[in-house]
């Protein structure tokens, strides 16, 4: 559905006709205005009117309706099509999800299509309306503001992930054994999948931002390169931040698996030590439990306590040796 529709002239919002075709003609008439239409999860029928009025390319329309696209920048004859994936951090569940924003930039018009609830554009629109000197750059200003808001939020989400990672790191390396829980490896793996989701959104966006910052892209204002360079710089910092988190998470997983291996070795040493101590009395008792007639000390009065004392002495000696070597 259409969330908002307005004509911006000389950087300021003005009332325009309700009909999209008339509104676009009015925006193009003076040359210093443009039409911005915002849609949220439109159906094929709802988007058909918009696409026919603005002459949007059918391949771009298909991508905008179907969603599930990688971040990209496509140039068509009559418009520029950009896909950006905002990242949403859920505080309650400590999980990362992604939504999608599509922007069609053309001659005196901007059409934004939003999929998901995590990245509303109302705040971006209010911010632009409060900065008419930026909005004077036309449709390019809208693309810049959307990109800047999304990338800045990348850095905020990366900071939240850093806090979660520090908590997980403390749990893994806790000296009290808190990191011994069975779910630690599962938490690390789940965390790694969230990092991967983040990287799928932020990583591919680098190429479109670099293109907007350095090349002569159609339908983009000629003086907008410094703004997109700033966004590209922030995006690079966000990607480096996330890559660092991913490497640190891999190191934490390796350390956790190494700790598990060390604890298993300790357990095996303890089991082996107790088995060795149990083997001595078992062997002696097994020998004297045989029904042979001629056995040494079989008729000696002190034979029974002597054998018991021998077993106790050997077990004690073994226990002392294992204890000294750290096996027990």
């Amino acid at each position: 559905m259409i969330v908002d529709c307005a004509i911006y002239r000389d950087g300021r919002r003005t009332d325009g006709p309700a009909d999209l075709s008339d509104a676009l003609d009015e925006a193009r008439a003076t040359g210093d205005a443009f039409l911005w239409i915002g849609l949220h999860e439109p159906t094929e029928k709802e988007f058909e009117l918009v696409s026919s009025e603005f002459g949007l390319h059918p391949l771009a329309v298909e991508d905008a309706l179907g969603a599930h696209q990688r971040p990209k920048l496509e140039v068509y004859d009559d418009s520029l099509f950009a896909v950006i994936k905002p990242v949403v951090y859920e505080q309650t569940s400590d999980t990362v999800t992604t939504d999608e924003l599509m922007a069609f930039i053309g001659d005196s018009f901007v059409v934004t299509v939003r999929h998901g609830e995590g990245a509303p554009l109302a705040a971006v629109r209010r911010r632009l309306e409060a900065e008419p000197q930026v909005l004077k750059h036309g449709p390019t200003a809208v693309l810049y503001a959307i990109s800047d808001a999304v990338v800045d939020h990348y850095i905020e989400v990366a900071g939240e992930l850093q806090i979660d990672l520090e908590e997980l790191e403390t749990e893994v390396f806790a000296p009290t054994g808190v990191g011994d829980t069975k779910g630690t490896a599962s938490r690390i793996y789940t965390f790694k999948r969230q990092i991967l989701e983040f990287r799928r959104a932020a990583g591919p966006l680098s190429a479109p931002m670099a293109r907007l910052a350095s090349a002569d892209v159609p339908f983009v204002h000629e003086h907008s390169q410094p703004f997109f360079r700033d966004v590209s710089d922030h995006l690079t910092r966000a990607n480096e931040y996330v890559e660092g988190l991913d490497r640190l998470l891999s190191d934490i997983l390796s350390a956790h698996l190494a700790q598990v291996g060390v604890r298993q070795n300790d357990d095996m040493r303890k089991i082996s030590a107790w088995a060795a101590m149990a083997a001595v009395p078992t062997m002696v008792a097994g020998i004297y439990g045989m029904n042979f007639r001629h056995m040494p000390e079989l008729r000696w009065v002190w034979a029974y306590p002597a054998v018991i004392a021998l077993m106790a002495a050997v077990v004690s000696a073994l226990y002392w040796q294992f204890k000294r070597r750290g096996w027990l």
Side-chain angles (χ1 to χ4, degrees):
M1 65 178 187
I2 296 180
V3 178
D4 200 350
C5 178
I7 295 177
Y8 293 88
R9 179 173 288 105
D10 196 26
R12 299 189 181 279
R13 180 170 182 149
T14 61
D15 296 330
D19 184 76
L20 296 182
S21 180
D22 294 340
L24 182 60
D25 291 340
E26 181 179 331
R28 287 173 173 173
T30 57
D32 61 348
F34 70 93
L35 176 65
W36 181 2
I37 299 176
L39 300 98
H40 178 236
E41 297 182 355
T43 63
E44 184 175 354
K45 184 176 181 180
E46 291 172 339
F47 201 56
E48 183 179 358
L49 175 62
V50 177
S51 61
S52 61
E53 291 291 345
F54 294 96
L56 304 180
H57 197 278
L59 291 178
V61 171
E62 181 181 354
D63 290 343
L65 289 174
H68 304 294
Q69 304 296 317
R70 296 178 76 252
K72 61 181 181 178
L73 182 68
E74 299 284 352
V75 179
Y76 297 101
D77 293 335
D78 299 323
S79 62
L80 180 72
F81 178 60
V83 179
I84 303 174
K85 295 179 74 70
V87 172
V88 182
Y89 178 79
E90 299 290 342
Q91 292 278 357
T92 55
S93 57
D94 295 337
T95 57
V96 171
T97 57
T98 56
D99 293 331
E100 290 189 39
L101 286 173
M102 287 85 165
F104 294 87
I105 309 295
D107 181 17
S108 301
F109 73 85
V110 180
V111 177
T112 55
V113 182
R114 179 167 59 92
H115 291 271
E117 300 292 340
L121 293 178
V124 176
R125 192 183 286 263
R126 287 194 300 268
R127 171 189 163 190
L128 278 174
E129 291 175 354
E131 300 176 352
Q133 70 278 7
V134 177
L135 206 54
K136 286 180 180 180
H137 290 86
T140 305
V142 178
L143 181 59
Y144 158 71
I146 293 174
S147 305
D148 186 53
V150 170
V151 172
D152 285 347
H153 193 59
Y154 283 170
I155 298 176
E156 295 176 7
V157 173
E160 296 288 346
L161 291 175
Q162 175 68 38
I163 295 175
D164 292 344
L165 187 58
E166 290 175 356
E167 294 176 356
L168 184 60
E169 186 178 20
T170 301
E171 177 183 328
V172 170
F173 295 103
T176 57
V178 178
D180 297 349
T181 55
K182 296 180 181 179
T184 301
S186 176
R187 285 190 58 196
I188 295 175
Y189 180 75
T190 302
F191 204 120
K192 200 167 183 64
R193 286 192 63 87
Q194 295 177 27
I195 296 294
L196 178 61
E197 187 74 12
F198 196 126
R199 295 183 67 176
R200 285 176 177 172
L205 188 59
S206 297
M209 287 298 107
R211 186 179 178 186
L212 289 168
S214 59
D216 185 16
V217 182
F219 307 106
V220 176
H221 196 277
E222 57 182 358
H223 299 301
S224 64
Q225 278 77 15
F227 296 95
F228 285 108
R229 278 198 294 270
D230 182 66
V231 176
S232 181
D233 178 67
H234 291 177
L235 180 60
T236 300
R237 185 173 61 171
N239 283 326
E240 290 176 350
Y241 202 162
V242 175
E243 288 175 5
L245 293 177
D246 189 46
R247 288 195 298 268
L248 183 58
L249 192 61
S250 298
D251 293 340
I252 291 175
L253 179 59
S254 300
H256 174 68
L257 295 178
Q259 285 181 332
V260 172
V262 169
R263 286 194 293 268
Q264 288 177 343
N265 289 334
D266 290 340
D267 294 339
M268 289 301 299
R269 283 201 300 265
K270 292 179 181 179
I271 293 173
S272 300
W274 287 110
M277 289 187 292
V280 173
T282 301
M283 180 188 67
V284 175
I287 293 175
Y288 276 89
M290 298 179 184
N291 295 323
F292 295 127
R293 179 175 302 226
H294 302 290
M295 295 184 70
E297 314 300 340
L298 194 60
R299 298 182 180 277
W300 185 35
V301 177
W302 299 101
Y304 178 75
V307 170
I308 297 297
L310 175 64
M311 290 190 292
V314 174
V315 171
S316 298
L318 289 174
Y319 179 83
W320 179 77
Q321 286 289 337
F322 289 138
K323 193 73 174 177
R324 188 171 65 88
R325 295 176 180 272
W327 283 40
L328 294 174

